[in-house]
Amino acid sequence: MREFDYARADSARQAVSSHGTNEQAAYLAGGTTLLDLVKIDIMRPEQVVDINRLDLNEIETLNDGRTRIGALVTNTALARDERITRDYAVLSEALLSGASTQLRNKATTAGNVMQRVRCPYFRDGVSPCNKREPGSGCAAIGGYNRSVHAVLGTSDKCIATHPSDMCVAMAAIGATVQVQGPEGEREIDFLDFHLLPGDTPWKEHALKENELITHVTLDAPIQGSRSGYLKLRDRESYQFALASSAVIVALEGNTIREARIALGGVGTKPWRVKEAEQALKGQPANEQSFQKAADIVMRDATPYEHNAFKIPLGKQAVIRNLTTQTA
Amino acid sequence: MSDSIIGAGPRRIDGRLKVSGAAPYAADHYPDNMAYGYGVFSTIASGRVTNIDLSEARRSPGVIDIFHHGHFPSLYHTPSSMMQGNKVEETRLPFEDDRVYYEGQFVALVVADSLENARAAAYKVKVSYDEEKAIANLDQGVKAHGTQKGKGNHSRGNPGASFESAAHSIDYTYATPVETHNPMEMHATVASWRGDRLHVYESSQGVLQEKGALAKIFGIAPNQIEVESPFIGSGFGSKLWMWPHAVTAAAASRETGRPVQVVVPRQQMFTTTGHRPETRQRLRLATDNQGRLVSVRHESINATSFTDQYVETCGSVTKSLYSCDNVLVSHETTRVNRGTPTSMRAPGAAPGLFALESAIDEMAIEAGIDPVEFRLNNYADRDESQDLPFSSNHIKDATRQAAEKFGWSKRTPEPGSMREGNEFVGYGMAACNWEAMRFPCDARVSLRADGTAYVTCATQDIGTGTYTIVAQAVSDVTGLPLERITVKLGDTSYPEGPLSGGSWTTATTLPAVAEASRKAIEQLKSHATSGQGAFSDVAAEDLSFENGQLSHNGRAMDYTEVLGAQRLASADGEAHTGGADTSKYSFRSFGAHFVEVRWDPGISNLRVSRVVSAIDVGRAINTLTARNQVEGAVVMGLGMAHFEATDYDHRNARPVNNNYAEYLVATHADQPEIDVILLDNPDYEFNEYGARGIGEIGITGMAAAVANAVYHATGKRIRELPISKDKLMEGIPEPQRA
Ligand SMILES: Cc1cc2nc3c(=O)[nH]c(=O)nc-3n(C[C@H](O)[C@H](O)[C@H](O)COP(=O)(O)OP(=O)(O)OC[C@H]3O[C@@H](n4cnc5c(N)ncnc54)[C@H](O)[C@@H]3O)c2cc1C
Ligand code: SF4
């Protein structure tokens, strides 16, 4: 670990000003991504701003039916919250499918949104990697790209998946991210928060240099809907998704009134597929409809050397989850 | 008590120390003034170091010294002989020259006043390389420079001709990947010199071998070195032999004049501390029209390093498990740019039985015979490779008992014919097998005046329960309860004990401990019957000793009083016991695994749902720890079958999943219902306890049992481990080529 300056903030404003516009500054929340990467010398912050004392630990139901989650609410607390398990089962399930109990106890909502990719070439410190060293290339293409590499949203500059499970559920639910900057607060639509790699994979999100996430606010639940998260992987626990789906469906009789679909493990960002949702609307809840939606999800997928199986697997994640939620 | 303690199931006597954090592991030692070493590891797999720029690192806080090939004491090679007690697996010394043979090789060691400072400075060392094209895997090795002859080869009869004329035959090639031991506890060394004496704390399965190797390498007498390894966070074979980090720690300590601690980071646990090598195994089997094996050929190649030849003896079991007149077993190696491989739980047999027992399944199907029936018809009754009887072999009984308990009779043979809801159910089975070995051993037992016994032996408890069973053996002979017995292991100053490996620790250590206990009692009796003794009027041989009491003709006295009356601290016994006599019998352990898997094609999910294993290892000294060894091995075998593989980039031989998140071992959630049947057939030809050893056999055959069950569930025969979902899925599109 290299030396860095450490500041502990007592308010969001103070955090933002301690952070400043220094590109080498980082907020410290649970530390499960940041400290991990600092210890292996991949992230090298010069200034660390500890935000753990900020008053951002609440989960609140707003008057308009939305639910506002403080940036520091831990993954465990969020997953176990009664309002979440009742109204947003998909989110609770997604959180509980992630990492391990110990990690979830430390990991925070904002930290989870901001977690970095698990690509081994990003983490090895020497391979060409456009995320770590802009312009150096992408060793994953043509290399070993089975588990943590995407088939959707990739570019010839980067193919790493966004590893979060929580974000996949949030993408399906719909949400906004509240951020605090030096000029005050603003909101970013959750679906616009994470960026596709395109030609600039080192730009991962829509935050400006020193902006701090203060809250994530979930859209009001869809009345009469059921939801769930299905995570497919090699082993039963403690592994990032090879393919996962977050599904929310509301039926009228056996007809789909409304559906939300997002995928994890297959995309370079939490992968919401509105087109597939549209295709389901008004259709009978049966295998044929689900298959059609799944085909739409993977229509533009690009298979790489070792991860082509994620295309059928992603479809399966969608079909089985829709089947379960409409059974 | 003495009748029941052997074969009972007392809990581990060191359990409390471990769960309360009080057990000192190697890196828990902090001698005064200790400095911390952190490695700089090569980022190429093949080539030369052309320059090491230390300017920035030297300015980093707390740095004491930085070692590398241009700045390191000149040391000696160890002859690396197990028999001489100085074996290492990687014989090249760290920093010996500027060559790089594998990614993750030590190219420098920073020594600083704290771990954080050492690591920070290590990151600032800039190494330049002249990189050469690396050989990244077995296929590339064979293609580039062919193979070298291995060891453990065997042939009898004429397998070629009998294959050609046989009624049924199969010819398939099986592959296993690199697997990495990944014990929880990192390899760690704390080395300190006091004058010309070296003291080392190491996480070691063999303190005496490390002592011998260090003596050779530093050119000093063995009695100038002490190695301690009281507790080990497991090793699975990776800690049998000393690795380069220990040499760097000892040398850095001598050069800096301070104790130095070096802990191998998790990433380098994949590179510089051994691994199970990649294998390719061709199996050609043939039967007559009754399904009797008439030809068996098992030819394997494993990848080894450029510095050492490590042979994975995949065919070791094939020589003797089945009866067949025409057999060929051969082992070859090829060199790749990886660190030197080493033994990993059941070396040879674990990958070897994946191939053999998969092939036997395929052969049975080819011959149209139920796989259980096929095995029962073909198991050997004597060791045909050595032309010796087995000391004890109950594999048929094990197979029948496990089949019965598992419910094999409910199996419908057609693949994919058993279904429950979304899942296809598959039943598979395989035999397991492991050699039983026993070596010479010394031990010392003191019966002390305070009523306790104190036992020493320079073997190790690697988490298997050796502390506990040693105490049981002493309790068995002396009648003292376990809580009055102190067992000390893992220290080279104790009497010479065995390496903790090969499943021979129990069979080797217990006879010596028992003999030492008897000798201590003899000495006690001789004190008691001496001129000043409490029983001076009795002949020693007429005195009896039971439950801590000496007695004769109704007169009894606690032995502590006898010693106390003479102001004697203790009565002591030292013993030396020999190894197994392998001229009359072939000593092996046997068993069978029955496995149920479930395949859900709708989500491409495979899981192992149920395992029944029947194990024939002679007598279990401690049923609790014995069962625990088999259960652990079954879970590890399931991991081998389903998940484990160290993946390398084929372009540059760099391991890509070198951490505990992406190198997949079975988690708790993956564990099936496990039912272990311990057959209890004491093998008194082997030792007085009738115990053969149980650490490894449970992993052998597991991967094949899973593969066979997968075939039954899916109709797909996976001949390359691990059996990951992508190998079972349909409709995978062609990948885009870069
Ligand atoms: C072994 C392992 C396995 C894992 N498995 C999974 C998994 O299966 N599924 C899954 O979803 N996740 C998984 N994770 C990731 C885990 O969920 C994240 O590490 C965690 O959510 C990060 O939260 P944190 O609070 O610890 O963030 P930190 O490490 O504190 O911060 C992460 C990043 O976010 C920035 N940051 C933190 N808070 C703010 C804020 N308020 N505003 C702006 N920036 C901020 C930090 O500067 C840093 O760059 C795993 C992690 C590990 C180490
Ligand atoms: S996939 Fe992305 S993170 Fe991985 S090497 Fe390529 S650029 Fe880097």
PDB file of all heavy atoms in Angstrom, chain B residues 496-520:
ATOM      1  N   GLU B 496      12.731 -37.613  16.083  1.00  0.00           N
ATOM      2  CA  GLU B 496      12.413 -37.585  14.643  1.00  0.00           C
ATOM      3  C   GLU B 496      11.089 -38.240  14.302  1.00  0.00           C
ATOM      4  O   GLU B 496      10.895 -39.428  14.556  1.00  0.00           O
ATOM      5  CB  GLU B 496      13.515 -38.295  13.856  1.00  0.00           C
ATOM      6  CG  GLU B 496      14.763 -37.468  13.759  1.00  0.00           C
ATOM      7  CD  GLU B 496      15.703 -37.958  12.662  1.00  0.00           C
ATOM      8  OE1 GLU B 496      15.256 -38.705  11.762  1.00  0.00           O
ATOM      9  OE2 GLU B 496      16.880 -37.584  12.732  1.00  0.00           O
ATOM     10  N   GLY B 497      10.216 -37.466  13.729  1.00  0.00           N
ATOM     11  CA  GLY B 497       8.922 -38.004  13.310  1.00  0.00           C
ATOM     12  C   GLY B 497       8.754 -37.808  11.815  1.00  0.00           C
ATOM     13  O   GLY B 497       9.580 -37.181  11.157  1.00  0.00           O
ATOM     14  N   PRO B 498       7.668 -38.331  11.269  1.00  0.00           N
ATOM     15  CA  PRO B 498       7.494 -38.307   9.819  1.00  0.00           C
ATOM     16  C   PRO B 498       6.960 -36.970   9.288  1.00  0.00           C
ATOM     17  O   PRO B 498       6.338 -36.196  10.006  1.00  0.00           O
ATOM     18  CB  PRO B 498       6.464 -39.397   9.576  1.00  0.00           C
ATOM     19  CG  PRO B 498       5.622 -39.370  10.817  1.00  0.00           C
ATOM     20  CD  PRO B 498       6.563 -39.040  11.947  1.00  0.00           C
ATOM     21  N   LEU B 499       7.201 -36.789   8.033  1.00  0.00           N
ATOM     22  CA  LEU B 499       6.541 -35.773   7.230  1.00  0.00           C
ATOM     23  C   LEU B 499       5.031 -36.032   7.315  1.00  0.00           C
ATOM     24  O   LEU B 499       4.602 -37.181   7.305  1.00  0.00           O
ATOM     25  CB  LEU B 499       6.994 -36.046   5.805  1.00  0.00           C
ATOM     26  CG  LEU B 499       6.936 -35.063   4.692  1.00  0.00           C
ATOM     27  CD1 LEU B 499       7.925 -33.939   4.969  1.00  0.00           C
ATOM     28  CD2 LEU B 499       7.352 -35.760   3.387  1.00  0.00           C
ATOM     29  N   SER B 500       4.240 -34.976   7.394  1.00  0.00           N
ATOM     30  CA  SER B 500       2.789 -35.179   7.422  1.00  0.00           C
ATOM     31  C   SER B 500       2.270 -35.203   5.995  1.00  0.00           C
ATOM     32  O   SER B 500       1.890 -34.180   5.439  1.00  0.00           O
ATOM     33  CB  SER B 500       2.102 -34.066   8.199  1.00  0.00           C
ATOM     34  OG  SER B 500       2.544 -34.052   9.528  1.00  0.00           O
ATOM     35  N   GLY B 501       2.303 -36.370   5.419  1.00  0.00           N
ATOM     36  CA  GLY B 501       1.855 -36.501   4.032  1.00  0.00           C
ATOM     37  C   GLY B 501       1.665 -37.969   3.721  1.00  0.00           C
ATOM     38  O   GLY B 501       1.977 -38.834   4.541  1.00  0.00           O
ATOM     39  N   GLY B 502       1.140 -38.239   2.537  1.00  0.00           N
ATOM     40  CA  GLY B 502       1.020 -39.622   2.098  1.00  0.00           C
ATOM     41  C   GLY B 502       0.078 -40.459   2.932  1.00  0.00           C
ATOM     42  O   GLY B 502       0.035 -41.672   2.791  1.00  0.00           O
ATOM     43  N   SER B 503      -0.664 -39.834   3.824  1.00  0.00           N
ATOM     44  CA  SER B 503      -1.575 -40.544   4.735  1.00  0.00           C
ATOM     45  C   SER B 503      -0.826 -41.541   5.615  1.00  0.00           C
ATOM     46  O   SER B 503      -1.402 -42.533   6.035  1.00  0.00           O
ATOM     47  CB  SER B 503      -2.687 -41.278   3.961  1.00  0.00           C
ATOM     48  OG  SER B 503      -3.437 -40.378   3.191  1.00  0.00           O
ATOM     49  N   TRP B 504       0.460 -41.272   5.876  1.00  0.00           N
ATOM     50  CA  TRP B 504       1.213 -42.236   6.679  1.00  0.00           C
ATOM     51  C   TRP B 504       1.474 -41.767   8.107  1.00  0.00           C
ATOM     52  O   TRP B 504       2.090 -42.463   8.894  1.00  0.00           O
ATOM     53  CB  TRP B 504       2.537 -42.593   5.989  1.00  0.00           C
ATOM     54  CG  TRP B 504       3.482 -41.444   5.761  1.00  0.00           C
ATOM     55  CD1 TRP B 504       4.038 -40.627   6.705  1.00  0.00           C
ATOM     56  CD2 TRP B 504       4.019 -41.017   4.501  1.00  0.00           C
ATOM     57  NE1 TRP B 504       4.875 -39.710   6.108  1.00  0.00           N
ATOM     58  CE2 TRP B 504       4.881 -39.932   4.759  1.00  0.00           C
ATOM     59  CE3 TRP B 504       3.865 -41.460   3.180  1.00  0.00           C
ATOM     60  CZ2 TRP B 504       5.584 -39.260   3.734  1.00  0.00           C
ATOM     61  CZ3 TRP B 504       4.564 -40.795   2.180  1.00  0.00           C
ATOM     62  CH2 TRP B 504       5.399 -39.704   2.458  1.00  0.00           C
ATOM     63  N   THR B 505       1.014 -40.583   8.480  1.00  0.00           N
ATOM     64  CA  THR B 505       1.350 -40.046   9.796  1.00  0.00           C
ATOM     65  C   THR B 505       0.818 -40.928  10.930  1.00  0.00           C
ATOM     66  O   THR B 505       1.536 -41.236  11.877  1.00  0.00           O
ATOM     67  CB  THR B 505       0.778 -38.624   9.954  1.00  0.00           C
ATOM     68  OG1 THR B 505       1.105 -37.885   8.786  1.00  0.00           O
ATOM     69  CG2 THR B 505       1.358 -37.934  11.171  1.00  0.00           C
ATOM     70  N   THR B 506      -0.425 -41.324  10.826  1.00  0.00           N
ATOM     71  CA  THR B 506      -1.029 -42.127  11.887  1.00  0.00           C
ATOM     72  C   THR B 506      -0.302 -43.458  12.038  1.00  0.00           C
ATOM     73  O   THR B 506       0.135 -43.829  13.126  1.00  0.00           O
ATOM     74  CB  THR B 506      -2.519 -42.373  11.566  1.00  0.00           C
ATOM     75  OG1 THR B 506      -3.169 -41.112  11.460  1.00  0.00           O
ATOM     76  CG2 THR B 506      -3.187 -43.210  12.635  1.00  0.00           C
ATOM     77  N   ALA B 507      -0.159 -44.155  10.916  1.00  0.00           N
ATOM     78  CA  ALA B 507       0.442 -45.483  10.954  1.00  0.00           C
ATOM     79  C   ALA B 507       1.893 -45.427  11.403  1.00  0.00           C
ATOM     80  O   ALA B 507       2.411 -46.366  12.007  1.00  0.00           O
ATOM     81  CB  ALA B 507       0.342 -46.130   9.574  1.00  0.00           C
ATOM     82  N   THR B 508       2.570 -44.323  11.100  1.00  0.00           N
ATOM     83  CA  THR B 508       3.981 -44.190  11.430  1.00  0.00           C
ATOM     84  C   THR B 508       4.181 -43.761  12.877  1.00  0.00           C
ATOM     85  O   THR B 508       5.038 -44.280  13.584  1.00  0.00           O
ATOM     86  CB  THR B 508       4.628 -43.146  10.489  1.00  0.00           C
ATOM     87  OG1 THR B 508       4.498 -43.614   9.152  1.00  0.00           O
ATOM     88  CG2 THR B 508       6.096 -42.931  10.835  1.00  0.00           C
ATOM     89  N   THR B 509       3.378 -42.802  13.315  1.00  0.00           N
ATOM     90  CA  THR B 509       3.625 -42.155  14.600  1.00  0.00           C
ATOM     91  C   THR B 509       3.106 -42.963  15.786  1.00  0.00           C
ATOM     92  O   THR B 509       3.767 -43.072  16.818  1.00  0.00           O
ATOM     93  CB  THR B 509       2.963 -40.757  14.611  1.00  0.00           C
ATOM     94  OG1 THR B 509       3.383 -40.047  13.452  1.00  0.00           O
ATOM     95  CG2 THR B 509       3.351 -39.973  15.850  1.00  0.00           C
ATOM     96  N   LEU B 510       1.905 -43.523  15.640  1.00  0.00           N
ATOM     97  CA  LEU B 510       1.289 -44.142  16.816  1.00  0.00           C
ATOM     98  C   LEU B 510       2.080 -45.305  17.399  1.00  0.00           C
ATOM     99  O   LEU B 510       2.215 -45.407  18.628  1.00  0.00           O
ATOM    100  CB  LEU B 510      -0.158 -44.560  16.521  1.00  0.00           C
ATOM    101  CG  LEU B 510      -1.161 -43.426  16.313  1.00  0.00           C
ATOM    102  CD1 LEU B 510      -2.565 -43.894  16.679  1.00  0.00           C
ATOM    103  CD2 LEU B 510      -0.821 -42.175  17.087  1.00  0.00           C
ATOM    104  N   PRO B 511       2.646 -46.208  16.572  1.00  0.00           N
ATOM    105  CA  PRO B 511       3.422 -47.291  17.178  1.00  0.00           C
ATOM    106  C   PRO B 511       4.597 -46.759  18.014  1.00  0.00           C
ATOM    107  O   PRO B 511       4.891 -47.291  19.078  1.00  0.00           O
ATOM    108  CB  PRO B 511       3.915 -48.095  15.966  1.00  0.00           C
ATOM    109  CG  PRO B 511       2.888 -47.830  14.911  1.00  0.00           C
ATOM    110  CD  PRO B 511       2.484 -46.396  15.114  1.00  0.00           C
ATOM    111  N   ALA B 512       5.244 -45.693  17.549  1.00  0.00           N
ATOM    112  CA  ALA B 512       6.378 -45.133  18.292  1.00  0.00           C
ATOM    113  C   ALA B 512       5.905 -44.522  19.604  1.00  0.00           C
ATOM    114  O   ALA B 512       6.538 -44.683  20.654  1.00  0.00           O
ATOM    115  CB  ALA B 512       7.092 -44.080  17.444  1.00  0.00           C
ATOM    116  N   VAL B 513       4.797 -43.837  19.554  1.00  0.00           N
ATOM    117  CA  VAL B 513       4.251 -43.198  20.757  1.00  0.00           C
ATOM    118  C   VAL B 513       3.828 -44.272  21.777  1.00  0.00           C
ATOM    119  O   VAL B 513       4.096 -44.156  22.976  1.00  0.00           O
ATOM    120  CB  VAL B 513       3.059 -42.291  20.375  1.00  0.00           C
ATOM    121  CG1 VAL B 513       2.268 -41.887  21.603  1.00  0.00           C
ATOM    122  CG2 VAL B 513       3.553 -41.063  19.615  1.00  0.00           C
ATOM    123  N   ALA B 514       3.204 -45.313  21.269  1.00  0.00           N
ATOM    124  CA  ALA B 514       2.771 -46.393  22.166  1.00  0.00           C
ATOM    125  C   ALA B 514       3.981 -47.064  22.802  1.00  0.00           C
ATOM    126  O   ALA B 514       4.004 -47.330  24.009  1.00  0.00           O
ATOM    127  CB  ALA B 514       1.933 -47.411  21.390  1.00  0.00           C
ATOM    128  N   GLU B 515       4.991 -47.313  21.990  1.00  0.00           N
ATOM    129  CA  GLU B 515       6.201 -47.966  22.497  1.00  0.00           C
ATOM    130  C   GLU B 515       6.892 -47.071  23.530  1.00  0.00           C
ATOM    131  O   GLU B 515       7.346 -47.548  24.583  1.00  0.00           O
ATOM    132  CB  GLU B 515       7.137 -48.284  21.317  1.00  0.00           C
ATOM    133  CG  GLU B 515       8.399 -49.041  21.658  1.00  0.00           C
ATOM    134  CD  GLU B 515       8.158 -50.414  22.295  1.00  0.00           C
ATOM    135  OE1 GLU B 515       7.013 -50.925  22.212  1.00  0.00           O
ATOM    136  OE2 GLU B 515       9.100 -50.957  22.904  1.00  0.00           O
ATOM    137  N   ALA B 516       6.957 -45.798  23.263  1.00  0.00           N
ATOM    138  CA  ALA B 516       7.572 -44.861  24.220  1.00  0.00           C
ATOM    139  C   ALA B 516       6.763 -44.839  25.525  1.00  0.00           C
ATOM    140  O   ALA B 516       7.340 -44.748  26.618  1.00  0.00           O
ATOM    141  CB  ALA B 516       7.662 -43.467  23.616  1.00  0.00           C
ATOM    142  N   SER B 517       5.461 -44.931  25.410  1.00  0.00           N
ATOM    143  CA  SER B 517       4.621 -44.959  26.616  1.00  0.00           C
ATOM    144  C   SER B 517       4.931 -46.211  27.437  1.00  0.00           C
ATOM    145  O   SER B 517       5.049 -46.153  28.665  1.00  0.00           O
ATOM    146  CB  SER B 517       3.134 -44.969  26.244  1.00  0.00           C
ATOM    147  OG  SER B 517       2.814 -43.868  25.445  1.00  0.00           O
ATOM    148  N   ARG B 518       5.056 -47.331  26.755  1.00  0.00           N
ATOM    149  CA  ARG B 518       5.358 -48.580  27.472  1.00  0.00           C
ATOM    150  C   ARG B 518       6.729 -48.490  28.145  1.00  0.00           C
ATOM    151  O   ARG B 518       6.915 -48.930  29.274  1.00  0.00           O
ATOM    152  CB  ARG B 518       5.314 -49.767  26.498  1.00  0.00           C
ATOM    153  CG  ARG B 518       3.880 -50.174  26.128  1.00  0.00           C
ATOM    154  CD  ARG B 518       3.825 -51.484  25.354  1.00  0.00           C
ATOM    155  NE  ARG B 518       4.285 -51.323  23.985  1.00  0.00           N
ATOM    156  CZ  ARG B 518       3.477 -51.084  22.936  1.00  0.00           C
ATOM    157  NH1 ARG B 518       2.176 -50.987  23.112  1.00  0.00           N
ATOM    158  NH2 ARG B 518       3.990 -50.942  21.729  1.00  0.00           N
ATOM    159  N   LYS B 519       7.666 -47.859  27.451  1.00  0.00           N
ATOM    160  CA  LYS B 519       9.005 -47.732  28.037  1.00  0.00           C
ATOM    161  C   LYS B 519       8.994 -46.802  29.241  1.00  0.00           C
ATOM    162  O   LYS B 519       9.727 -47.014  30.207  1.00  0.00           O
ATOM    163  CB  LYS B 519       9.994 -47.240  26.981  1.00  0.00           C
ATOM    164  CG  LYS B 519      10.333 -48.327  25.981  1.00  0.00           C
ATOM    165  CD  LYS B 519      11.539 -47.935  25.160  1.00  0.00           C
ATOM    166  CE  LYS B 519      12.041 -49.122  24.351  1.00  0.00           C
ATOM    167  NZ  LYS B 519      12.976 -48.683  23.307  1.00  0.00           N
ATOM    168  N   ALA B 520       8.163 -45.777  29.171  1.00  0.00           N
ATOM    169  CA  ALA B 520       8.046 -44.869  30.319  1.00  0.00           C
ATOM    170  C   ALA B 520       7.483 -45.630  31.516  1.00  0.00           C
ATOM    171  O   ALA B 520       7.933 -45.438  32.656  1.00  0.00           O
ATOM    172  CB  ALA B 520       7.163 -43.680  29.965  1.00  0.00           C
TER     173      ALA B 520
END
